[in-house]
Amino acid sequence: MAASWLATQGRLPLAFMLLGLGWLGVATAMLALSPGVLALSHAAPAVVALTHAWVLGVFVSVATGAIYQIAPVALGTTLWRERLGWWHFALQSISIPGMVYAFSRWDMATLGLFASPFALGIGLFAINTWKTVRNSGRHDAVAWSLQLAALWLLLTVVVGLVAAANRLWTFLPFDPITVLRAHAHLGLGGFFLTLLQGVTFRLVPMFTLGDVPDWRPVRSGLWLSQFGLISLAPALLLQWNLLASASAVLVLAGMLSSGHAFRRTLATRKKRALDPGLRAFLAGCGALLLAPILGLLLLWPASPWGSGGGGFGAMPYAVALLVGGLLPVIVGMLCKVIPFLTWMIAYGPKVGRVPTPSAGALTAPRLEAWALSLQGSAVVPLFIGAWTQEPWLLSLGACLLAAGVMLFVYHAGLVLRHLWAPRIPASAAPPSP
Amino acid sequence: MITTDLNPATLWQALRAIPDPEFGVSIVDLGLIYSVECTPDLVQVVMTLTTSSCPSGGWIHEGVRAAVEQFAGSREVQVDLVFEPAWTTDRLSAEARRVLGGDETQ
Ligand code: HEM
């Protein structure tokens, strides 16, 4: 492996991580400045703007950056075209602010202007992912999850563009809210869930010195969810509740199968202690299991739980899914990826020449744990606040989240400082007998 | 450092100073170094990685070469990265198990 090739590794994913980190600050500030938006209808412009700041700015940026890092590693190959990745980065960086602004003004023409380059970037990302998988010649669950996740993301973006155009010219024979639901589920279920159901089984064993004892539940988990997801979006669009319920049950069965495989995988680990990032990731994955169950409740609004307007509705559902599930998953990824990429760039070229620290030594685990706990403690007040439309609970949740995010960004800054001020330890390895 | 009479133990010691970036354990204690041999013309190290898809594997491989070159003098340095036999957790030293807390799984 040429040192020059190695030296370029990590820069592209790190750029995406920094983009995600920046948006984590911005999206949290948006919520902290007006927590009351969570008491509005989920389709209100301010809420749709906030949702896309979180989902596109934070979650999609980190997840796509992680794929640029993970796909070549997990598949034992190199990224097909790094340059395309940089184009994707540029397009994503310039388009998201404009999209969030356009959503907040409910200006669909401007949205189209900014969303088109975003969609182009996702198109480049999908091609890069597919070509990378193809060149690797792999056909395992991980390879499938990467390809399918890229496909779901592209589909989400296309449906998003159609939804925006439909708001402008009204040409679809469906209620726009059902289009919104189909689009949201394609993205949140299709892209993120599919990604997690494959890539987790390469990453977690790698970080914990474990093994996947049996790939069958991994495969069945992935495919069961895929079947559920394929029928879910059209069922939501056409308001076929029975089909949507059956789809949710399939997705849940797939998640349970993956969860079972995940538990067995974790049990094989040689590194017993889990660091804060991995714990947050696991907690988030566990919370995501609730999504199809809560979704089923929403499909049957006549249930005693009620639906919206101070009862259980789409807003608490979204809060549980995004703040309780996806946020810890994505932030947990950041906890692992940022120190590792920083190590690759700052210390990788120095290995064997001078003493080098481990990637974990760049972090402050207690500070990190505090940041993650504060973020976690925001979930309950935000969830109940969105459910009961109680302003003080929403303010409390937003404050806790903001405190956790501020600590987290500060901690990430401490890690990233090694990029321009590397510190060489006196003695690197623990003494051996 | 130019050495005419190179003892493999010196090289093992030098490699022991390289920590694995993920686990903070020396790559020798992780069991990544299969063999170190010195002849008057050649230093040959055979090593592996915990997984063939180890993202920092390239730097560890380069680092082993750099560490050995500091002692090799005029000898050629050959660092072979092999995945056969595959690394397993059986290769962890007692020290690595202690640091990783893996004893309880034995
Ligand atoms: C080109 C990119 C995108 C465009 C143009 C777009 C457009 C839209 C539009 C117009 C709505 C509101 C629909 C309506 O009320 O008629 C919406 C809602 C939503 N979108 Fe997107 N979207 C894009 C990307 C994404 C992605 C990638 C995701 C997730 C991975 C996503 C998740 C959501 C969610 C969760 C909602 C519901 C928001 C709420 O109810 O508050 N969007 N999107």
Side-chain angles (χ1 to χ4, degrees):
Chain A
M1 230 175 280
S4 58
W5 179 80
L6 277 171
T8 62
Q9 290 306 290
R11 287 176 204 274
L12 177 64
L14 189 61
F16 275 94
M17 297 300 146
L18 294 181
L19 182 63
L21 200 61
W23 271 104
L24 180 62
V26 173
T28 306
M30 284 171 71
L31 179 62
L33 290 176
S34 45
V37 294
L38 295 190
L40 300 176
S41 152
H42 72 91
V47 183
V48 179
L50 182 67
T51 310
H52 284 84
W54 277 99
V55 171
L56 304 190
V58 187
F59 301 156
V60 172
S61 294
V62 173
T64 49
I67 291 178
Y68 284 125
Q69 164 73 12
I70 294 161
V73 164
L75 302 168
T77 183
T78 50
L79 187 65
W80 181 61
R81 292 275 188 279
E82 173 143 353
R83 187 182 286 265
L84 280 194
W86 283 108
W87 274 106
H88 169 205
F89 176 73
L91 290 166
Q92 192 147 310
S93 307
I94 55 164
S95 54
I96 301 177
M99 286 179 71
V100 172
Y101 172 79
F103 275 124
S104 67
R105 303 256 137 191
W106 208 244
D107 175 350
M108 292 293 129
T110 308
L111 175 65
L113 202 68
F114 283 99
S116 303
F118 180 86
L120 181 62
I122 296 299
L124 297 180
F125 159 78
I127 294 171
N128 224 343
T129 307
W130 293 331
K131 287 280 192 183
T132 303
V133 175
R134 207 191 142 133
N135 288 350
S136 76
R138 301 276 267 264
H139 301 286
D140 53 22
V142 179
W144 273 111
S145 98
L146 285 165
Q147 300 186 85
L148 290 166
L151 180 64
W152 285 115
L153 183 59
L154 193 59
L155 254 171
T156 309
V157 163
V158 170
V159 175
L161 283 173
V162 172
N166 185 52
R167 285 288 189 182
L168 208 53
W169 298 303
T170 320
F171 53 88
L172 291 175
F174 310 109
D175 178 350
I177 288 296
T178 64
V179 181
L180 175 151
R181 285 184 193 146
H183 161 70
H185 282 80
L186 281 175
L188 300 179
F191 175 55
F192 291 108
L193 179 62
T194 303
L195 185 63
L196 288 173
Q197 284 184 304
V199 167
T200 309
F201 293 94
R202 272 277 182 274
L203 290 190
V204 172
M206 199 154 74
F207 288 135
T208 59
L209 284 179
D211 248 326
V212 180
D214 184 1
W215 280 92
R216 279 171 307 181
V218 180
R219 278 194 295 270
S220 45
L222 180 67
W223 290 114
L224 275 171
S225 299
Q226 293 304 304
F227 289 129
L229 289 166
I230 288 170
S231 47
L232 183 61
L236 289 172
L237 189 65
L238 299 166
Q239 293 177 280
W240 292 348
N241 279 7
L242 216 56
L243 182 61
S245 305
S247 310
V249 170
L250 271 179
V251 170
L252 181 62
M255 290 171 89
L256 287 173
S257 179
S258 299
H260 167 67
F262 194 43
R263 269 185 49 168
R264 291 187 58 195
T265 302
L266 260 188
T268 67
R269 73 188 192 276
K270 278 287 178 284
K271 186 181 174 194
R272 300 308 296 170
L274 298 174
D275 42 44
L278 216 46
R279 283 205 300 271
F281 181 85
L282 294 182
C285 287
L288 284 178
L289 268 174
L290 281 179
I293 300 170
L294 294 181
L296 275 170
L297 288 178
L298 280 181
L299 280 170
W300 301 104
S303 69
W305 297 70
S307 180
F312 182 74
M315 193 55 106
Y317 171 55
V319 167
L321 183 60
L322 297 183
V323 189
L326 273 180
L327 178 63
V329 164
I330 293 290
V331 165
M333 272 189 197
L334 279 174
C335 290
K336 295 302 292 178
V337 178
I338 289 184
F340 185 74
L341 293 176
T342 303
W343 181 93
M344 289 276 278
I345 294 168
Y347 297 105
K350 298 187 171 69
V351 175
R353 293 172 173 84
V354 292
T356 47
S358 66
L362 312 187
T363 67
R366 282 170 79 104
L367 190 60
E368 202 172 51
W370 264 101
L372 296 172
S373 306
L374 276 167
Q375 290 174 30
S377 66
V379 178
V380 171
L382 285 178
F383 178 71
I384 301 180
W387 186 336
T388 58
Q389 301 184 330
E390 195 59 67
W392 73 267
L393 275 174
L394 292 173
S395 300
L396 173 69
C399 282
L400 288 169
L401 186 66
V405 166
M406 260 158 46
L407 262 191
F408 186 81
V409 173
Y410 170 70
H411 176 264
L414 292 182
V415 174
L416 290 164
R417 211 171 51 177
H418 287 260
L419 286 174
W420 56 91
R423 265 174 280 155
I424 303 299
S427 150
S432 301
Chain B
M1 194 187 307
I2 309 289
T3 322
T4 48
D5 189 17
L6 185 55
N7 183 348
T10 312
L11 296 178
W12 279 103
Q13 203 50 42
L15 296 177
R16 200 178 282 280
I18 302 179
D20 176 274
E22 178 54 34
F23 304 107
V25 176
S26 145
I27 57 169
V28 170
D29 284 321
L30 264 187
L32 299 188
I33 307 296
Y34 282 166
S35 66
V36 177
E37 282 172 24
C38 305
T39 68
D41 307 314
L42 179 72
V43 180
Q44 187 184 27
V45 178
V46 180
M47 65 170 290
T48 190
L49 299 169
T50 53
T51 145
S52 59
S53 51
C54 172
S56 52
W59 283 131
I60 298 177
H61 185 222
E62 288 284 315
V64 167
R65 173 184 298 284
V68 171
E69 274 172 350
Q70 292 178 30
F71 295 88
S74 57
R75 291 174 183 83
E76 188 193 334
V77 173
Q78 189 179 324
V79 182
D80 297 332
L81 185 58
V82 300
F83 292 99
E84 199 54 56
W87 180 88
T88 69
T89 48
D90 293 341
R91 292 196 54 82
L92 293 171
S93 73
E95 170 64 6
R97 285 175 201 278
R98 189 189 63 75
V99 173
L100 296 170
D103 279 342
E104 67 208 73
T105 63
Q106 294 307 296

